[in-house]
Amino acid sequence: MRLRNVKGSREEIAANEYSLKEVEKNKGHWAELFADGKPIHIEIGMGKGKFLMKLAELHPEIHYIGIEKYSSVLVRALEKMEENPLPNIHFIRMDAENIVDVFEKGEVDKIYLNFSDPWPKDRHAKRRLTSKQFLARYETILKKGGIIEFKTDNRPLFDFSVEEVKEAGWVTELCTYDLHNSEYVEGNVMTEYEEKFVAKGNPICKLVFHPVY
Ligand code: SAM
């Protein structure tokens, strides 16, 4: 994603009600904080949040938390929320590397990874959001029975991810190399990047997986 420094974005995020602050204090207390027993689904690397906002509209019975590393990107999601406020969505500006500082064991029911940055150089493999280093973090925060859904049009990243899941001994529930021409497309909610890549004719790969429970 091309990043542009958006002037004042840090200040805007700090003042916005949808962006959660000092989130490490919520670790182990998310259920108390929401106080309604609804499951928590997170998207890591949510960009401008289009996908998560659509899901939040469709599923008021779920709490959605979008995680984005860059203020300049997150601020766009916050602006969209002003136009269409939703009670069941929040955002955190953070590097997902630190996700285990924010969620306690078993606090998250589902993780979405959509069109994650590919980090094509081998020496950067551990930065990929589907690397074994990240899988270990997800295993810590996922509830028993929790799952991860990953979509990308980037075939090398997808092949890498399939291997990492296999090597970790995790369970693959679904693996398709052409989501939009498969039976699994029903109910699919497109992300911003997905719309761009589908328009270009790129096949979209999808992997659904979870640790062994
Ligand atoms: N998921 C969106 C979509 O499909 O339209 C955006 C995809 S964009 C290519 C990847 C996003 O992930 C970027 O906004 C980037 O800043 C964010 N990102 C990458 N690494 C991250 C990390 N370690 N923690 C949080 N966000 C990250």
Side-chain angles (χ1 to χ4, degrees):
M1 176 174 277
R2 193 168 63 86
L3 291 177
R4 193 165 58 83
N5 188 28
V6 178
K7 204 164 169 245
S9 55
R10 278 199 181 246
E11 293 75 7
E12 200 173 327
I13 288 166
N16 191 288
E17 60 177 312
Y18 289 103
S19 115
L20 301 173
K21 288 103 194 165
E22 299 186 356
V23 282
E24 291 80 3
K25 289 188 185 159
N26 299 343
K27 181 174 172 173
H29 304 290
W30 286 98
E32 290 160 47
L33 193 83
F34 290 132
D36 55 13
K38 294 178 182 176
I40 297 176
H41 294 188
I42 68 175
E43 184 185 7
I44 298 181
M46 58 140 206
K48 298 177 198 156
K50 183 178 186 291
F51 168 82
L52 222 52
M53 287 177 207
K54 183 73 193 161
L55 285 185
E57 259 180 14
L58 291 172
H59 298 287
E61 75 284 6
I62 293 167
H63 283 294
Y64 291 96
I65 301 178
I67 293 169
E68 170 54 48
K69 191 168 169 179
Y70 294 107
S71 314
S72 52
V73 181
L74 175 55
V75 80
R76 298 297 177 219
L78 299 179
E79 285 164 5
K80 278 197 236 162
M81 289 305 295
E82 314 247 299
E83 293 157 24
N84 183 21
L86 293 162
N88 58 331
I89 185 164
H90 290 90
F91 304 107
I92 303 174
R93 195 204 61 74
M94 67 174 284
D95 189 324
E97 259 187 39
N98 305 316
I99 197 89
V100 296
D101 299 336
V102 173
F103 295 101
E104 187 55 87
K105 201 166 173 48
E107 281 196 305
V108 174
D109 294 82
K110 189 165 184 175
I111 301 174
Y112 292 101
L113 307 169
N114 291 316
F115 300 85
S116 311
D117 294 339
W119 293 106
K121 292 186 179 143
D122 281 350
R123 70 172 190 278
H124 291 149
K126 66 172 190 257
R127 297 186 193 172
R128 298 175 193 150
L129 293 181
T130 49
S131 66
K132 56 177 171 293
Q133 289 83 355
F134 271 98
L135 296 189
R137 295 174 181 121
Y138 304 151
E139 185 162 16
T140 306
I141 64 170
L142 267 182
K143 187 169 278 180
K144 203 170 175 203
I147 56 166
I148 303 179
E149 293 198 10
F150 170 56
K151 289 193 282 188
T152 185
D153 71 320
N154 186 303
R155 188 60 192 267
L157 177 64
F158 193 71
D159 291 344
F160 166 84
S161 308
V162 167
E163 276 310 304
E164 292 291 273
V165 166
K166 218 183 275 174
E167 278 175 29
W170 287 28
V171 179
T172 297
E173 292 285 348
L174 184 160
C175 179
T176 174
Y177 293 86
D178 192 0
L179 174 65
H180 288 260
N181 288 304
S182 78
E183 61 187 296
Y184 308 115
V185 74
E186 206 189 314
N188 180 54
V189 171
M190 292 228 262
T191 80
E192 192 179 350
Y193 271 64
E194 187 170 359
E195 280 181 359
K196 277 201 289 199
F197 293 132
V198 167
K200 279 167 102 181
N202 297 5
I204 306 299
C205 305
K206 180 170 181 179
L207 189 68
V208 179
F209 56 100
H210 61 80
V212 175
Y213 297 121

